Amino acid sequence: MKILIVDDNALNRDLACYILTDFQVKFKAASSGHEALDILKDETFDVVLMDVQMPGMDGFGLARAIREAEGDGAHLHA
């Protein structure tokens, strides 16, 4: 399983990564919705765990952008 963690708070990202290490899954972390979209253009993930309250693009905006890209035939790999 491969997981993308998206959170603007470095402590939260680090904690999520630390916890996931115990489960021996692959993961990557992003500090913003925009960074997550860039990552999703190049890599495939089974799960995206995201913060709802982030500056710039919050979790709801990121979810909408992922769904819209899927509908438009874009190659996001969520």
Side-chain angles (χ1 to χ4, degrees):
M1 177 175 283
K2 192 169 177 185
I3 300 172
L4 177 61
I5 301 159
V6 187
D7 197 318
D8 62 311
N9 183 304
L11 182 62
N12 291 345
R13 280 193 319 274
D14 291 346
L15 178 60
C17 291
Y18 176 77
I19 291 169
L20 289 174
T21 327
D22 289 342
F23 292 98
Q24 298 179 355
V25 297
K26 295 178 182 179
F27 58 86
K28 190 166 215 175
S31 62
S32 70
H34 295 290
E35 182 182 357
L37 285 177
D38 287 340
I39 292 169
L40 289 168
K41 290 177 186 173
D42 298 324
E43 297 184 51
T44 301
F45 292 88
D46 299 301
V47 176
V48 178
L49 300 175
M50 64 184 100
D51 184 9
V52 174
Q53 296 178 334
M54 295 183 289
M57 178 184 288
D58 63 13
F60 295 116
L62 176 56
R64 273 191 302 276
I66 292 169
R67 295 296 175 222
E68 287 172 5
E70 288 174 346
D72 293 340
H75 297 288
L76 292 182
H77 302 283

